[in-house]
Amino acid sequence: SQQGEEDPQALSIQEGENATMNCSYKTSINNLQWYRQNSGRGLVHLILIRSNEREKHSGRLRVTLDTSKKSSSLLITASRAADTASYFCATDENMRFGAGTRLTVKP
Amino acid sequence: GAGVSQSPSNKVTEKGKDVELRCDPISGHTALYWYRQSLGQGLEFLIYFQGNSAPDKSGLPSDRFSAERTGGSVSTLTIQRTQQEDSAVYLCASSLGGPRTDTQYFGPGTRLTVL
């Protein structure tokens, strides 16, 4: 099974709203990473959070990690139409990616 | 600097033919990864190279798939006797160190279509 499992599978919001995506994993990790994939623009790394960190920020992105629950969340604040993409999480253990969350931000 | 490059960008082949996909990682990156992504799906890990260590081949779906990395740099993914279910985008990534410490940088992918 996939190591990183994202939910929801799809999310549709209005521009300016916040979007929250979740990721669950099964084994112990050293780090967890979030990636974005726009159609036609490839896969881009967003943020890496280490197992000893609980929260990390990068611009409008906020990632949390709860190792006791083996879960992470990605929050995008003040969303923009350009944030429309699929978002994936991956852990360093086995480098498995989940199926992703498809985010649509409507202008 | 230059990112990860892959060639060809598109490959159309007939069922039963062999194909070779190439990946040029970022210079100095010791780790190299191959994934494939079917339409609308997530990434499926195929194989991972780290320095001079034996590669992690645990994701290769069958013995028709093989990969090598020459001189610790360029990698070639070979698919023998292609099948229609091999049709997918094949993505290569590299990182400075291993996945436990470093970000993976992805190439643009090779879209493989098996007729």
Side-chain angles (χ1 to χ4, degrees):
Chain A
S1 62
Q2 293 293 327
Q3 175 70 332
E5 302 273 354
E6 299 90 350
D7 83 272
Q9 292 185 350
L11 181 61
S12 182
I13 59 175
Q14 293 295 133
E15 206 165 29
E17 294 180 340
N18 296 340
T20 300
M21 290 159 269
N22 302 297
C23 169
S24 60
Y25 57 92
K26 293 182 171 61
T27 64
S28 297
I29 62 170
N30 293 286
N31 69 60
L32 184 144
Q33 303 182 32
W34 283 91
Y35 291 80
R36 178 181 65 209
Q37 187 175 40
N38 300 87
S39 57
R41 294 186 64 182
L43 206 70
V44 175
H45 175 260
L46 294 176
I47 197 163
L48 180 153
I49 186 166
R50 303 192 188 283
S51 60
N52 61 353
E53 298 175 309
R54 292 295 168 261
E55 188 170 311
K56 202 163 183 180
H57 297 254
S58 177
R60 293 184 295 110
L61 306 180
R62 173 178 164 250
V63 168
T64 62
L65 179 65
D66 187 335
T67 53
S68 67
K69 296 181 179 178
K70 292 185 168 57
S71 68
S72 174
S73 67
L74 169 67
L75 168 68
I76 304 173
T77 60
S79 63
R80 304 167 182 169
D83 295 329
T84 294
S86 291
Y87 291 82
F88 298 89
C89 68
T91 66
D92 62 291
E93 187 65 27
N94 297 327
M95 297 154 286
R96 262 61 173 180
F97 285 71
T101 291
R102 176 69 189 171
L103 173 66
T104 301
V105 181
K106 300 174 184 177
Chain B
V4 177
S5 61
Q6 292 184 245
S7 61
S9 56
N10 279 284
K11 176 71 177 179
V12 180
T13 190
E14 294 179 348
K15 179 182 173 181
K17 295 285 180 67
D18 298 351
V19 295
E20 285 189 351
L21 311 180
R22 177 186 167 107
C23 173
D24 283 85
I26 293 173
S27 178
H29 280 193
T30 64
L32 186 146
Y33 317 74
W34 282 99
Y35 298 86
R36 73 176 175 182
Q37 187 176 30
S38 300
L39 187 64
Q41 302 298 310
L43 275 71
E44 177 185 4
F45 167 74
L46 297 177
I47 189 169
Y48 159 59
F49 296 89
Q50 174 65 63
N52 295 321
S53 302
D56 176 354
K57 303 179 182 180
S58 59
L60 294 178
S62 78
D63 59 8
R64 295 187 295 105
F65 288 73
S66 63
E68 62 178 21
R69 189 180 184 192
T70 54
S73 181
V74 172
S75 177
T76 302
L77 176 69
T78 301
I79 309 173
Q80 296 178 310
R81 305 180 302 282
T82 52
Q83 304 294 312
Q84 288 183 333
E85 59 263 29
D86 298 335
S87 296
V89 176
Y90 288 81
L91 291 162
C92 174
S94 70
S95 64
L96 188 59
R100 287 179 171 74
T101 55
D102 294 315
T103 299
Q104 295 181 41
Y105 295 86
F106 283 81
T110 293
R111 182 176 297 279
L112 175 65
T113 303
V114 182
L115 301 177

